mmCIF file of all heavy atoms in Angstrom:
data_model
loop_
_atom_site.group_PDB
_atom_site.id
_atom_site.type_symbol
_atom_site.label_atom_id
_atom_site.label_comp_id
_atom_site.label_asym_id
_atom_site.label_seq_id
_atom_site.Cartn_x
_atom_site.Cartn_y
_atom_site.Cartn_z
ATOM 1 N N ALA A 122 11.737 -7.417 13.548
ATOM 2 C CA ALA A 122 13.155 -7.724 13.349
ATOM 3 C C ALA A 122 13.782 -8.456 14.529
ATOM 4 O O ALA A 122 14.907 -8.949 14.426
ATOM 5 C CB ALA A 122 13.927 -6.433 13.063
ATOM 6 N N GLU A 144 5.130 3.865 -17.982
ATOM 7 C CA GLU A 144 3.691 3.624 -17.934
ATOM 8 C C GLU A 144 3.429 2.708 -16.737
ATOM 9 O O GLU A 144 3.757 1.523 -16.764
ATOM 10 C CB GLU A 144 3.218 2.972 -19.237
ATOM 11 C CG GLU A 144 3.407 3.875 -20.452
ATOM 12 C CD GLU A 144 2.732 5.223 -20.292
ATOM 13 O OE1 GLU A 144 1.552 5.259 -19.884
ATOM 14 O OE2 GLU A 144 3.390 6.254 -20.550
ATOM 15 N N VAL A 158 12.736 -10.188 -4.361
ATOM 16 C CA VAL A 158 12.808 -11.451 -3.620
ATOM 17 C C VAL A 158 13.895 -12.339 -4.211
ATOM 18 O O VAL A 158 14.666 -12.974 -3.476
ATOM 19 C CB VAL A 158 11.443 -12.170 -3.642
ATOM 20 C CG1 VAL A 158 11.564 -13.575 -3.061
ATOM 21 C CG2 VAL A 158 10.408 -11.367 -2.855
ATOM 22 N N SER A 211 -15.877 -1.807 -25.547
ATOM 23 C CA SER A 211 -15.792 -0.410 -25.949
ATOM 24 C C SER A 211 -15.882 -0.309 -27.462
ATOM 25 O O SER A 211 -15.398 -1.169 -28.200
ATOM 26 C CB SER A 211 -14.466 0.185 -25.454
ATOM 27 O OG SER A 211 -13.379 -0.524 -26.001
ATOM 28 N N ARG A 219 -10.051 10.451 -31.280
ATOM 29 C CA ARG A 219 -8.591 10.332 -31.257
ATOM 30 C C ARG A 219 -7.888 11.672 -31.399
ATOM 31 O O ARG A 219 -6.908 11.945 -30.692
ATOM 32 C CB ARG A 219 -8.140 9.395 -32.378
ATOM 33 C CG ARG A 219 -6.625 9.229 -32.460
ATOM 34 C CD ARG A 219 -6.233 8.256 -33.551
ATOM 35 N NE ARG A 219 -6.806 6.938 -33.318
ATOM 36 C CZ ARG A 219 -6.665 5.911 -34.162
ATOM 37 N NH1 ARG A 219 -5.989 6.052 -35.286
ATOM 38 N NH2 ARG A 219 -7.209 4.746 -33.896
ATOM 39 N N LYS A 252 -4.840 15.201 10.048
ATOM 40 C CA LYS A 252 -5.601 15.177 11.299
ATOM 41 C C LYS A 252 -7.051 14.760 11.084
ATOM 42 O O LYS A 252 -7.684 14.228 11.992
ATOM 43 C CB LYS A 252 -5.534 16.541 11.977
ATOM 44 C CG LYS A 252 -4.166 16.816 12.604
ATOM 45 C CD LYS A 252 -4.168 18.078 13.444
ATOM 46 C CE LYS A 252 -2.835 18.235 14.171
ATOM 47 N NZ LYS A 252 -2.808 19.429 15.024
ATOM 48 N N ILE A 269 6.082 11.225 4.121
ATOM 49 C CA ILE A 269 5.150 11.237 2.999
ATOM 50 C C ILE A 269 5.439 12.394 2.050
ATOM 51 O O ILE A 269 5.288 12.278 0.839
ATOM 52 C CB ILE A 269 3.696 11.351 3.510
ATOM 53 C CG1 ILE A 269 3.358 10.145 4.380
ATOM 54 C CG2 ILE A 269 2.705 11.441 2.354
ATOM 55 C CD1 ILE A 269 2.036 10.291 5.123
ATOM 56 N N PHE A 289 -2.839 4.624 -14.609
ATOM 57 C CA PHE A 289 -2.890 3.455 -13.739
ATOM 58 C C PHE A 289 -4.257 3.328 -13.060
ATOM 59 O O PHE A 289 -4.861 2.262 -13.038
ATOM 60 C CB PHE A 289 -1.779 3.542 -12.687
ATOM 61 C CG PHE A 289 -1.927 2.528 -11.593
ATOM 62 C CD1 PHE A 289 -1.751 1.188 -11.860
ATOM 63 C CD2 PHE A 289 -2.251 2.913 -10.306
ATOM 64 C CE1 PHE A 289 -1.893 0.237 -10.855
ATOM 65 C CE2 PHE A 289 -2.385 1.979 -9.296
ATOM 66 C CZ PHE A 289 -2.210 0.633 -9.582
ATOM 67 N N THR A 291 -7.165 4.344 -13.872
ATOM 68 C CA THR A 291 -8.319 4.101 -14.737
ATOM 69 C C THR A 291 -8.257 2.755 -15.435
ATOM 70 O O THR A 291 -9.067 2.467 -16.300
ATOM 71 C CB THR A 291 -8.423 5.214 -15.799
ATOM 72 O OG1 THR A 291 -7.207 5.243 -16.565
ATOM 73 C CG2 THR A 291 -8.646 6.574 -15.141
ATOM 74 N N TRP A 313 -7.497 -6.584 9.315
ATOM 75 C CA TRP A 313 -8.427 -5.618 8.728
ATOM 76 C C TRP A 313 -8.891 -4.574 9.726
ATOM 77 O O TRP A 313 -9.465 -4.898 10.758
ATOM 78 C CB TRP A 313 -9.639 -6.355 8.169
ATOM 79 C CG TRP A 313 -10.084 -5.771 6.859
ATOM 80 C CD1 TRP A 313 -11.080 -4.855 6.672
ATOM 81 C CD2 TRP A 313 -9.534 -6.049 5.578
ATOM 82 N NE1 TRP A 313 -11.179 -4.549 5.328
ATOM 83 C CE2 TRP A 313 -10.239 -5.270 4.634
ATOM 84 C CE3 TRP A 313 -8.501 -6.886 5.119
ATOM 85 C CZ2 TRP A 313 -9.957 -5.294 3.264
ATOM 86 C CZ3 TRP A 313 -8.216 -6.910 3.774
ATOM 87 C CH2 TRP A 313 -8.931 -6.124 2.861
ATOM 88 N N TRP A 319 -13.117 3.190 3.173
ATOM 89 C CA TRP A 319 -13.003 2.828 1.762
ATOM 90 C C TRP A 319 -12.860 1.334 1.548
ATOM 91 O O TRP A 319 -13.309 0.808 0.530
ATOM 92 C CB TRP A 319 -11.824 3.566 1.122
ATOM 93 C CG TRP A 319 -12.009 5.046 1.169
ATOM 94 C CD1 TRP A 319 -11.316 5.960 1.928
ATOM 95 C CD2 TRP A 319 -12.989 5.808 0.459
ATOM 96 N NE1 TRP A 319 -11.793 7.220 1.723
ATOM 97 C CE2 TRP A 319 -12.818 7.160 0.822
ATOM 98 C CE3 TRP A 319 -13.991 5.462 -0.451
ATOM 99 C CZ2 TRP A 319 -13.618 8.175 0.303
ATOM 100 C CZ3 TRP A 319 -14.791 6.479 -0.969
ATOM 101 C CH2 TRP A 319 -14.601 7.821 -0.590
ATOM 102 N N LEU A 362 2.842 -15.769 11.859
ATOM 103 C CA LEU A 362 4.122 -16.182 11.276
ATOM 104 C C LEU A 362 4.681 -17.420 11.968
ATOM 105 O O LEU A 362 5.289 -18.283 11.325
ATOM 106 C CB LEU A 362 5.140 -15.036 11.374
ATOM 107 C CG LEU A 362 4.947 -13.867 10.409
ATOM 108 C CD1 LEU A 362 5.825 -12.690 10.816
ATOM 109 C CD2 LEU A 362 5.247 -14.283 8.975
ATOM 110 N N GLU A 370 6.594 -23.478 5.051
ATOM 111 C CA GLU A 370 8.011 -23.623 4.700
ATOM 112 C C GLU A 370 8.434 -25.087 4.795
ATOM 113 O O GLU A 370 9.190 -25.581 3.968
ATOM 114 C CB GLU A 370 8.865 -22.758 5.616
ATOM 115 C CG GLU A 370 10.336 -22.733 5.205
ATOM 116 C CD GLU A 370 11.131 -21.688 5.970
ATOM 117 O OE1 GLU A 370 10.620 -21.220 7.012
ATOM 118 O OE2 GLU A 370 12.238 -21.377 5.548
#
Side-chain angles (χ1 to χ4, degrees):
E144 296 304 313
V158 171
S211 60
R219 179 178 300 177
K252 287 188 174 181
I269 299 170
F289 169 68
T291 58
W313 220 263
W319 298 110
L362 286 168
E370 187 170 16

